[in-house]
Amino acid sequence: MEQRPVPGRTGEETTPSVPGPGEPPRHRDAADARRRIPRTDTLLNDPLLSAAVHRLGARRVKAAVRQAQERARTGGITPEQVPRTALDLLPGTASGLRPVINATGVLLHTNLGRAPLSAAARQAVREAAGPTDVELDLATGVRARRGRSALAALRERVPAAGATHVVNNGAAALALAATALAAGREIVVSRGEMVEIGDGFRLPDLLVSTGARLREVGTTNRTTAADYAAVIGPDTGFVLKVHPSNFRITGFTRSAEVADLTGLGVPVVVDIGSGLLAPHPALPGEPDADTQLRAGAALVTASGDKLLGGPQCGLLLGREDLVHALARHPLARALRVDKLTLAALEATLTGPPTPTALALTADPARLTARAERLAAALAADGIDVRPVESAATVGGGGAPGVTLPSAALSLPEPYAAALRTARTPVVGRLETGRCLLDLRSVPPEEDDRLAEAVRSASTKRPEAVVAEGAVEGRA
C-alpha cells in the first residue's frame, strides 16, 4: 500500500494519495476529511476570525485555529466546524479577567471586584482611554491640577468637606494620612477598632509600617472619651476612629463618638471604610462622610468601590489645610490614581444611580416577580427550578449584620459548579443543598443572560456537573 504523507499541523494541503485496493473505506473517508481541513491562512481571512485578530491579536487567534484544526484531525469535529470551533475557543477580550454574573446576593463581593460600574462610568472610561486633558488646561495651554473636575464633583457631593483628594484605594488613604500626620509620632486608637481589613492585612500593621506608633486605649468592648483624653500629649499625631465595618460587637459595649473627641486638641481622623457619602435610609447604622465631618472630624477616609458604587480608589475629605498637606506629600505621587479611575469616579458622582444604589433600593416584590417569571420559563424547559425567598447582604466590609429581603432561583446543587465554569460564568451560593441565584445582586437587564446560562448548564454531561461542598458567596 502506498505510504501517505501526514497532514501539516497548520492545516496546509498535502499531496493526495490513491488508497490501495485493500484499504477500508473508512480510512479513505478519514483521509478525505483531513484534506478538507481549512488552511491556516484561509481561516485567518475568514471575516469573523479576521475581526478577532484585530480584537485579540494574531498570536492568540492562530493558537485557537491550530487547536480547532487538531480536533478535526482527530475526528472530534468535522472540517466544516473548524472556523466556529476556533472562534468559540477565543476569549471575549484580550484580558484574562472574565465578566461574570454576580448572583451571590452579596452586592459588593470582594472576590468579584466589588461595585459594578454604571453605564455612565463605563462610557467615561472608554472616552478617557485615549489622550485627555487630565493635567492640562486647554484654555491656557498650561499644566492644571490632576483630576480637578473629579475632585470638584466629590466635594460637591460632600458639602462639609473643605477639600478632597483621591488615591488608589482606601488603605492607601489611611496610610497617606498616617505618614503625613503621624510618622514618628503616636496615633491614638481604641482596642476595639484594631481590625483586620481582609486577605490577612491588619490595620495595626498598616499604620506601624508608616513609621507611626500606636497608642491603644480602652478595651475590646468599651472605650470612652476619657480613655482618649488620658493619653493625649505633645507626641500625639491624631486620634483615629475606625468603623468596624466587617464585624459587630453586641452586648455590654460603648464607644466614643466623633463629637466627644473634637476638643482634645489634635485632629480626629475617621476611617468610615464603606464609602457612604451621606446617610442612606436602608443603612441607618452605617457612618457617612458628611455626617462625620459635620460632627467635627478633621479628615475622613473611605473606599470608592463600595457603597459609593465607583471604581477602586481611596477618598480623603476634610479640612483644607490637612488635605492639601496630604496631597503635596511625596508619598501622594506613589499613590495617585490614573485617568481611567478619575473618569469613572466623576461619572459615578455626577451620573445616574449606580448599580449598587439600585440594588440597595430594589423592591422585594419586584424581585419576587422576577424570580417567579424566570423560574416559570426555565421550568417549561424541564429544569428543576423554583423561586424562593432569600436574604442578601451588602458585603465589601459594609453594613455588617444588615440583611436585605430578596428572591432567588433555587436549583440542584450541581448547578453551582456548572454555572461558574460556563461560557457566561454565573456565581451563586449554596444553601441547604441547593444552588441559589439571588436576584438582588443581578441587574434586571441581565435576566435573559442568566436564564440562558442556566439552560446551557442544564445541557452539560452529568460527569461535568460536579457537586461541591460550598460556594464562596458571603465574602
Side-chain angles (χ1 to χ4, degrees):
M1 184 174 66
E2 179 183 353
Q3 183 69 33
R4 295 172 181 272
V6 178
R9 291 188 58 81
T10 56
E12 285 80 0
E13 294 177 356
T14 58
T15 304
S17 61
V18 179
E23 185 177 5
R26 64 184 182 86
H27 288 174
R28 293 196 299 270
D29 292 343
D32 289 343
R34 285 195 294 270
R35 284 193 292 270
R36 296 202 320 274
I37 296 173
R39 294 165 53 98
T40 300
D41 55 355
T42 301
L43 288 167
L44 293 177
N45 285 324
D46 178 280
L48 292 178
L49 289 169
S50 177
V53 169
H54 289 287
R55 189 177 76 252
L56 304 172
R59 180 182 302 177
R60 184 168 290 184
V61 176
K62 284 181 180 178
V65 164
R66 289 181 180 126
Q67 283 183 263
Q69 289 169 332
E70 188 61 30
R71 288 188 188 181
R73 290 189 190 98
T74 58
I77 60 174
T78 66
E80 291 72 24
Q81 292 174 312
V82 169
R84 173 52 59 181
T85 300
L87 197 63
D88 290 341
L89 288 170
L90 292 169
T93 70
S95 167
L97 295 174
R98 296 187 62 188
V100 306
I101 295 177
N102 175 15
T104 63
V106 181
L107 306 189
L108 303 171
H109 200 300
T110 298
N111 302 144
L112 301 180
R114 292 184 179 163
L117 294 180
S118 66
R122 296 183 192 196
Q123 179 62 31
V125 169
R126 284 192 290 269
E127 294 294 331
T132 70
D133 60 342
V134 63
E135 286 189 27
L136 180 68
D137 184 329
L138 294 175
T140 63
V142 300
R143 187 169 188 162
R145 187 181 182 191
R146 185 180 183 86
R148 55 204 176 277
S149 57
L151 296 174
L154 180 58
R155 186 178 176 188
E156 185 175 346
R157 287 284 300 273
V158 187
T164 60
H165 186 64
V166 180
V167 292
N168 57 14
N169 64 27
L174 188 55
L176 179 59
T179 303
L181 304 179
R185 304 178 70 191
E186 287 186 348
I187 297 173
V188 180
V189 60
S190 169
R191 286 187 175 88
E193 298 173 5
M194 304 283 278
V195 300
E196 184 171 305
I197 56 178
D199 196 26
F201 290 96
R202 294 177 173 176
L203 185 69
D205 298 336
L206 173 69
L207 294 172
V208 169
S209 73
T210 68
R213 301 187 304 276
L214 297 185
R215 184 70 178 267
E216 301 176 34
V217 296
T219 63
T220 302
N221 59 318
R222 290 178 67 83
T223 304
T224 66
D227 293 323
Y228 292 92
V231 301
I232 297 296
D235 212 26
T236 303
F238 61 84
V239 167
L240 175 63
K241 283 284 295 176
V242 180
H243 175 50
S245 57
N246 53 7
F247 70 94
R248 294 179 68 185
I249 298 177
T250 60
F252 186 57
T253 64
R254 184 176 179 182
S255 63
E257 299 296 328
V258 170
D260 301 328
L261 305 175
T262 56
L264 298 179
V266 295
V268 178
V269 177
V270 182
D271 178 21
I272 63 172
S274 67
L276 194 63
L277 299 185
H280 195 291
L283 307 170
E286 191 72 11
D288 65 274
D290 197 64
T291 299
Q292 298 302 312
L293 290 170
R294 292 183 187 280
L299 187 69
V300 169
T301 65
S303 295
D305 58 346
K306 296 182 181 179
L307 288 172
L308 177 60
Q312 176 182 295
C313 59
L315 312 179
L316 293 134
L317 312 100
R319 257 172 43 192
E320 187 174 7
D321 61 325
L322 291 183
V323 174
H324 286 174
L326 268 58
R328 297 310 305 167
H329 191 277
L331 184 60
R333 172 68 185 222
L335 302 178
R336 77 177 189 177
V337 294
D338 72 334
K339 61 183 180 178
L340 303 183
T341 301
L342 290 168
L345 175 61
E346 183 175 356
T348 298
L349 292 163
T350 62
T354 66
T356 299
L358 294 174
L360 274 175
T361 57
D363 181 0
R366 291 188 177 182
L367 294 173
T368 298
R370 287 173 59 197
E372 291 173 346
R373 183 176 66 254
L374 285 168
L378 293 169
D381 294 331
I383 296 172
D384 176 10
V385 59
R386 57 179 179 267
V388 297
E389 292 182 352
S390 181
T393 60
V394 172
V402 174
T403 58
L404 304 167
S406 187
L409 300 178
S410 174
L411 294 157
E413 183 175 344
Y415 273 85
L419 286 166
R420 281 203 322 276
T421 56
R423 184 167 180 83
T424 300
V426 178
V427 183
R429 69 176 190 268
L430 291 181
E431 284 187 9
T432 62
R434 299 281 289 185
C435 171
L436 298 190
L437 305 181
D438 194 306
L439 297 183
R440 188 177 275 270
S441 56
V442 180
E445 59 268 22
E446 294 286 322
D447 281 358
D448 289 344
R449 291 181 66 226
L450 179 66
E452 189 53 40
V454 173
R455 291 188 182 97
S456 177
S458 71
T459 64
K460 284 193 171 185
R461 299 185 306 275
E463 62 268 25
V465 184
V466 181
E468 295 192 351
V471 170
E472 194 174 35
R474 292 288 180 186

